[in-house]
Amino acid sequence: MTSAAALSAPVAAGPLPPATPLAVTAVGAVSAAGIGLEALGRAVAEGIAGHADPAGLSEESLPPRPVRVVPDLPVAELIGRKGTRHLDRTTKLALIACRLTLDTYPGRAGERSGVVLGTSTGSIRSSSEFSMETLRQERPYLVNPSLFPNTVMNCAAGQIAIRHGLHGVNATIAGGHLSGVQSLKYARNALRQGHADRILVGGVEEFCAQSAWGWHLSGALGVDVPVGEGAAMLMVEQEPTASDAGRPVLARILACETGYGPPGRLADALASVVTAALERCGRRPEEVGAVSYGATGLTGLERIEDRAVRAALGGRSPGRDVRVKESVGECFGADGVLQIAGLLGAWRYTAAPAGELALVTAVARDGNVGCAVLEAGALA
Amino acid sequence: MSERGARRVVVTGLGAVSSAGIGADEFTASIRAGRRTTSPVRSFDPSGFPHVHAGEVHDFEPRRWLERIDPAHWGRSGQFAASAARLAVQDAGLAAEDLARTRAGSVMGTTSGESAVIEELVGAWAADGLKALPPDVVGSVPAGRIAAAVNSELGLTGEALTLATACSASNYALGYAFDMVADGDAEYMLAGGADSLNRWAHAGFYRLGALAEEVCRPFDADRSGILTAEGGVALLLEPYERAVARGARIYAEVLGYSVNCDAEHMVHPDPTSIAACIRAAHRSAGVEPSQIDYICAHGTGTRTNDATEVAAVREVFGDRLPPISSIKSMIGHTMGAASGFGALICCRALYDGFLPPTAGVERTDPDLGPGVDPIPGRARTARPRIVENHGFAFGGNNAITILGRVA
Amino acid sequence: MASTASVLTAEQDGVLRAIVIEVLELEPEELTDTSSFIDDHDADSLLAIEILARIEKDLGVTIPQDDLTEMTNLDGVRAVVSRSLKEARDV
């Protein structure tokens, strides 16, 4: 056997292949700002804080910090009356976002459609409560079997497929703050490979006592930053598919790039994925007119994100800052797609001109960094 | 139509952390011998459970395998994944620094993420309430930490993607990694999966009537269910041309894959949808059913899975079923890592020349119909050329990969 | 079925009915002694196991998983539970 050193020739990576633009043809969102894209767009554009009263949401006591929650989930109206008894809040939020998206989709979803859903850890409330039952019951197996599927992270994506008959690719992306850009990147590849003709790309996070305490105790979130919840979804297809069918393109996703940086080099890593994303779609930094930020409120990361974006844009600040978390709170696995929905909502609310170019950035403490590049379409 | 990537993609490194041993060689030797490595659970207190056997990685010492990351800051699943990835890179004869200098990333599948961490926190909650959650443990909860552990351990600068598509997640990961390397998005990808044993899944499967008492025997007339299990697995993928240029050992070529969704029921697999997934995987790989020499089954050990899986295979292959076996008969159901271990043993089967066995089969279930060959007992010497690796999951998430020997 | 009914108290019988109605999300009048859980009430095996699990917990009996195949309607549930209660008493 030859030595490891002799075997490993340095690899000159070639240029990245050009990115295929994707078309966003429908959007749905549910958050503390309200039900639907309009509510989110108005809140983001006007800087309105979402609903802040968690009454009735938790039997456990909550930490002493602000929250942003969805007051009344329209379950019966948007999901149905039957078969919802065992759905957890994560799945309900995802199903509502899905319903809102499909209601505005000018085509038919059907069999050849897929789901790519971002999460942090599924429903942490469902898994930890199920686990708690094994400790609290007289015998550890006296759990409710119908709640078991809720403990599995792909529960919400599976339910969406079942309820809407979507037989295409069905993936759950445990990306946390990176869920949005990672899900888009995954969906772009799945569309290119023919695993579906169109994909619902979403993100979901529920508010619960378990994660509220987790954020509160970990110190990862600024002390005054609210813990939130929500779900958002985009119908994404390859651009020719949408235009051939005459569906208006609300926005084009020109690039989504991800990377990983070691501790201490996160800003550099983020700046270089922003640069790579712009290069990959052939745009220049000075064309960027908006940034939708992902690290708002995250201790240490907010400044890293600002610095990286400024560096990648050559020190100039874009005209439009979108900080969706100022309205909806910290929504972890839902953040990424809410950043995009918030951007689209704000574009629509302010009647932004088609062609405005935006960055959607994300950075996580572990080292994950990502950036999507969007272009405003026919939002009016 | 799909657009096939420009580059052929091969597997040149394998890493395993399992009840059947640590490292691909130990794992393979144990599987070939048909050794059952499940045992009574020690990582959580199983008292009160009528069934206490599982595929546990006893006495796992992360510091022995990990060079860069501090195990204290990472959960058990992340430690498994990072250790398996480190082993795979070593197995490929590469230095991690060389991976770190180019576009290299990881994609890891999981069912329950850092479930052992969550249960540690549940313990604190039960004892002193949620306000007593230990802050330093909370940060290890997110499932995305699994792929992050791999990138941090190896210093990789490409994507770190954790796919939570439950029990077929490793095959999802392998398919995605294949595309990334084939299309030039990445020069190297580590693909696999990891999961940890936990009380909640043990209770859930027991309550569903799906948990075997002591022995998991897929395809046997007297099978009684699954055994839960844990572990981590990683496969190193790179372009064929470079593997040849650097004189690497090539275990197998990734020929194609397919993913789809039953969209019928959360826990009951659908044979027609699985058959469609098999056909799509064959199309992707450019192969005919008659070319498949072996199927590494999902083979959980439940009656429902056996009946569904064999029905689906029959729908595609007619009456000439390839030999089909389940390594879960030996290591149990490693959940998100399961189809990754399946892919690993497929690579070794192609490279070393054998068919992996199903342990514990005394009488193949006649209800499965004629022609089912589960390769009972020990591995069979053979020279398979093209093999098929199954993964099915909660939520109807099917994923099938096709691997071939590189002549 | 008549012979099994004697083993169950009226209260136990009421508990069984209430569990089935709740798990299958039925209006009380929809559930008859012989209406089929699967064909008439859209049950699946997960819901059937939930019925079994609830009965075990609420009545403190142990029901072998194999008996699920008999629990296709309310009378079937009564027969299985009666047998389990009888066996528990005979031990």
Side-chain angles (χ1 to χ4, degrees), chain A residues 141-145, chain B residues 203-209, chain C residues 49 52-53 56 65:
Chain A
Y141 57 85
L142 291 177
V143 290
N144 181 347
Chain B
F205 283 111
Y206 181 81
R207 189 67 286 185
L208 290 178
Chain C
I49 295 170
L52 181 149
E56 284 197 341
Q65 205 93 22

Side-chain angles (χ1 to χ4, degrees), chain B residues 140-192:
Chain B
S140 300
V141 167
R145 302 267 297 167
I146 295 174
V150 173
N151 276 38
S152 287
E153 168 64 16
L154 297 171
L156 308 183
T157 56
E159 183 163 29
L161 180 66
T162 303
L163 288 171
T165 48
C167 303
S168 56
S170 284
N171 258 351
Y172 266 81
L174 188 52
Y176 182 76
F178 167 63
D179 290 334
M180 291 301 107
V181 175
D183 291 343
D185 273 80
E187 295 301 320
Y188 294 97
M189 283 297 280
L190 284 143

Side-chain angles (χ1 to χ4, degrees), chain A residues 97-187:
Chain A
C98 174
R99 178 77 268 162
L100 293 167
T101 309
L102 291 178
D103 282 349
T104 61
Y105 179 60
R108 216 184 61 80
E111 268 202 30
R112 291 273 309 151
S113 305
V115 180
V116 177
L117 188 63
T119 178
S120 54
T121 314
S123 169
I124 191 75
R125 175 174 178 171
S126 289
S127 52
S128 56
E129 285 185 348
F130 199 86
S131 176
M132 183 64 116
E133 281 293 287
T134 71
L135 299 174
R136 282 189 174 159
Q137 291 297 327
E138 191 186 333
R139 278 165 290 175
Y141 57 85
L142 291 177
V143 290
N144 181 347
S146 291
L147 297 177
F148 188 37
N150 291 346
T151 71
V152 184
M153 277 182 277
N154 67 342
C155 183
Q159 283 288 351
I160 290 171
I162 290 167
R163 281 163 191 268
H164 298 284
L166 315 180
H167 291 269
V169 61
N170 189 276
T172 298
I173 307 290
H177 289 116
L178 269 290
S179 289
V181 60
Q182 287 191 334
S183 296
L184 282 176
K185 187 162 181 270
Y186 187 91

Side-chain angles (χ1 to χ4, degrees), chain A residues 81-83 85-86 133 137 139 142 144-146 149, chain C residues 22-26 46-47 49-50 53 56-57 62:
Chain A
R81 290 184 191 280
K82 199 138 170 135
R85 192 167 49 102
H86 293 305
E133 281 293 287
Q137 291 297 327
R139 278 165 290 175
L142 291 177
N144 181 347
S146 291
Chain C
E22 192 193 320
V23 172
L24 300 184
E25 298 180 58
L26 304 174
L46 193 57
L47 290 171
I49 295 170
E50 186 182 346
E56 284 197 341
K57 220 160 101 175
T62 304

